[in-house]
Amino acid sequence: MGLSNKEKGVEIIAVSIDGKACGNYEGLAGTFAGFADSCLRMKTLPGFFRTDLTVSGELKERRLSLALPGAKRTPAELTEILDTALLNIVAFPSTQGEAECFIEVKSEK
Amino acid sequence: MALKTAQEYLDSIKKMKPRVYIGGKWITNLLKNPVTKSMVMANSAIYGLAEDPAHKEVMVATSHLTGEPVNRNLNVARNIHDLDMRQEMALLTSQTVGTCNYRCVGCDALNSLASTTWEMDQALGTKYNERFNKWLAYAQANDLAVSGAITDAKGDRKKRPSQQDEIDTYVHLVEKRDDGIVVRGIKVSQSGAIGSHETLVLPGGSLKEGEEKFALAFAVQNSVPGLSYICQYNALSAEREACDNEDELGNPLYGQRETSTMYFDNVFIPWERVFLCGETKYCGKMVTRFAKAHRMNCGGACKVGFADLIIGGTMMAAEYIGVEKIPHIQEKIIDMVRYSETSHACAIAAAMRGREEPKGSGVFLPDDLFGNAAKLNIAHGFYEIIKNAGDIGGGLVVTAPRQKDLDDPEVGPVLKKAFGAVAPADKRMKVAKFLQHWTAGLHGVGTWHGAGAPQGQRFMFTLLTDFEKKKKMAKKLMGMKEE
């Protein structure tokens, strides 16, 4: 039997866009906290620091609800932005393990 | 995935968006600027070496955490063989890219962390080593490019960190939170940080009680908000940006040595990435252990690889003008070999005399005296080597026109007449440009200061040498009685 996420020191983050699941990412434990800090304190996504892309959001327990103000973005565009942001905080797509952190994204006009 | 290929590294870097400033502009794509691209291509070549079966023994190790094969740049040395292969890796990478292995400082930093966090946990009951091992296992599993940041900006050297007029000259703690810490400040001269996935940040030196806020060691992802990189910029950077054919440059693919100033503007670091926070007593040990590893590798192997390239280029320059058999030329080339191989011998000795430190940790570090000897010897020897390269290469090393000018219909024929000798002008000018890269570029001062300026090694010699024992031996032989 393999090690648990906690034993390995990793966490699985599930991403959904406009209510639809779009993939899980594995990062070192603390990655979700870093991602949330980026969005809530710095108002930006990892890899998008001091760009035009600002974000706003709300954190409840291990669930981060995000809005990306500005023009309406397609789910494909949002998926790509989130994929880039998570890679920039050194989290990678994963098909293993159960998610314990959640990022829910919706676009805003 | 335990070992990334060169292409996989490049693919991963294409998606990274660190905030990088170079030569008056912010750039969004490291591979589109010719200067930052050279750094990324050098890192890619380092990944490529681990794919080559001929270099497996040197470039691939076995993780003590998982038993899986890992890139040696992410390996903790667990025995003498590991230390020896570590210094051989520094030699091989320098010979291959003619610039930094940009994963090298990170490697030596993680070895220091493995040793010092273990000691802290034993003495203080902290959980730093457990955290560090989880971080390391993750870095190994994803074969991350990890750079190291040690040198603070330091400001007025007469003043302690907390006495500085500008506190940001040292990386320091701003806030402790339940989920992590917030840090700010400046680290300078950070080789290859821009093209890495993560950077290990260590204290820049020993700290005293009362300086707890500067006592920090942590791992940071390189594109987190608040972190910016201001790249070095000089004549070689401008030349690379301006040229339309990189083949004309002294090191066409991999360039000079690219560093940046890293500015931490209230960057959040989760606790899982913090490996020292406030324990001033252990900062000196952490830095000293980093230095003893880095002086063996940087001084006794990396710069020896550079010397091999310079010696090769210098011999070609001599052959191209027909002076290779003249006795004083041969003597000068032999001197170049002497300086370089003496340093390499010190690195091998440092590895062979390495030992577990601290006892029980399982972490092996090189012998301090030999590592410092390697670095001090090459700091001086490198200037002798480039002096001889300039001597034998001749004035052409700094007076050559552009390679491209040989193709100009008007001046090209004149240049071919002027510089054709035993070898045609184009070959001579290519070698001249190569030697210019070494003798009139950044590597002299870089070698002097890299892994610490020579005064640091002299200080270590004073600490590590038992002068009383030597006096006692001399007195005994002279028949003098002990007073």
Side-chain angles (χ1 to χ4, degrees), chain B residues 328-386:
Chain B
H328 80 87
I329 299 290
Q330 291 182 330
E331 191 178 318
K332 284 167 185 163
I333 287 177
I334 294 300
D335 278 346
M336 294 164 84
V337 175
R338 172 168 62 87
Y339 293 124
S340 119
E341 295 303 339
T342 307
S343 288
H344 193 205
C346 290
I348 294 168
M352 293 301 160
R353 292 276 178 93
R355 63 191 81 88
E356 189 185 32
E357 183 176 344
K359 279 271 179 214
S361 67
V363 182
F364 272 60
L365 293 169
D367 179 83
D368 220 356
L369 188 64
F370 285 120
N372 276 283
K375 171 64 197 11
L376 184 59
N377 188 63
I378 203 68
H380 292 274
F382 198 80
Y383 274 112
E384 293 298 320
I385 288 167
I386 60 178

Side-chain angles (χ1 to χ4, degrees), chain B residues 436-467:
Chain B
Q436 184 185 93
H437 167 80
W438 295 105
T439 60
L442 313 180
H443 287 288
V445 177
T447 297
W448 190 259
H449 285 290
Q455 197 54 37
Q457 290 104 61
R458 290 179 192 283
F459 175 70
M460 290 307 293
F461 274 17
T462 309
L463 280 185
L464 296 166
T465 305
D466 188 345
F467 291 106

